[in-house]
Each structure stands twice: as structure tokens, then as C-alpha cells.
Amino acid sequence: MLGVARRMLGRVDLAEDAVQEALVLVWRRAHQFDESRGSAKGWLYTILRNRCLTMLRSEDREVPTEPQAIDRASEGALVDAAFDRLPSSADLRGCLEGLDEATRRAILSSYVLGHSHGEIAGRLATPLGTVKARIRRGLLKLRECLS
């Protein structure tokens, strides 16, 4: 599946994301598989193909930025400053301190800097699926901690 996605997308990072998203869709929609309509392998590859095509369409709207043009140091400083501005007695600060560094940085980048999951993944050099999972799990932990 990864080889097909690589050929379609031309980028390893996008191919890995497409395969992960396709497998998540397969897991969620397993009940929709109908053996009378075709093989399981065909169904899997159709889902992957559609995921790749969707990614190709959305990629046209994204404008790539050269890595050297991104000032990661100032972004990191903004995220750190936002965290440092929280009073030490604030519940949110205590809950954020309970998260691992990568999860906290991803959540703060999303909420403080307004970055999308894709932008965070690019800036942290982390796969998109990993960033999405970290943010989701981190937000669940924050919700639990703050309630």
C-alpha cells in the first residue's frame, strides 16, 4: 500500500499519511465491506486511492515554504512565552505541565499560533498522523485534568 501511495503522491511523507488515514478509514468502515461487490484487497486499495486523490487535490491549495524561510526559533520562543505567561497557580498550567514536551508544544502551536496539524507536522518534522494523535490525546488529558 505504501508503494502505491508513493507512486501516486510522489512524496514519502504524504504517502505514509495517506496509508495511515486509509487504514483508519478501513477500521471505522469495516462493517461496510460487502464481499459480493469485490475482494477485500480491492476495497482496501480503492480507499487508499481515494485518500491519495483527496490529498493531491488539497495539495494544490497549499503553498510550500522553503525550510530555511521558517523561523522556528522565534515560533518556539512564542510558544514558550505563552506557556510561561500562565500563572504558576493556574489549573491549565498544571495540566499542561503534566503532558510530555512534544504534545504540549503541538497543542500550544495549534492554539497560540493557530497552526494547522499539517503545519505543526512540518515544523516539528513529525508525521501528520503522529501530530494529530498527540493533539487528540493531549486534549483528552487536558479535559480530564481540568474537569
Side-chain angles (χ1 to χ4, degrees), residues 1 19 23-24 70 76 80-81 83 99-100 116 130 135 139 144:
M1 288 179 77
V19 170
L23 291 175
V24 168
I70 299 172
D80 292 339
F83 179 71
L99 300 175
D100 63 277
S116 68
T130 302
I135 290 175
L139 290 175
E144 183 180 309

Side-chain angles (χ1 to χ4, degrees), residues 72 118-128 130-131 134:
R72 289 190 172 99
E119 291 171 325
I120 295 167
R123 284 169 168 78
L124 298 178
T126 307
L128 178 61
T130 302
V131 169
R134 280 181 182 159

Side-chain angles (χ1 to χ4, degrees), residues 67-81 105 113 123:
Q68 54 272 36
I70 299 172
D71 187 8
R72 289 190 172 99
S74 67
E75 288 180 358
L78 286 172
V79 169
D80 292 339
R105 193 166 283 284
L113 301 175
R123 284 169 168 78

Side-chain angles (χ1 to χ4, degrees), residues 80-94 96-97 108:
D80 292 339
F83 179 71
D84 292 339
R85 281 194 306 260
L86 288 170
S88 59
S89 62
D91 292 338
L92 178 59
R93 183 183 181 107
L96 283 169
E97 286 174 344
L108 289 174

Side-chain angles (χ1 to χ4, degrees), residues 21-52:
E21 291 176 21
L23 291 175
V24 168
L25 282 172
V26 166
W27 180 261
R28 289 184 181 156
R29 297 181 182 169
H31 66 281
Q32 294 177 346
F33 173 69
D34 184 5
E35 188 176 324
S36 66
R37 296 178 66 195
S39 69
K41 184 177 179 180
W43 184 64
L44 290 170
Y45 279 93
T46 300
I47 291 173
L48 176 65
R49 178 185 169 275
N50 292 338
R51 190 69 227 131
C52 290

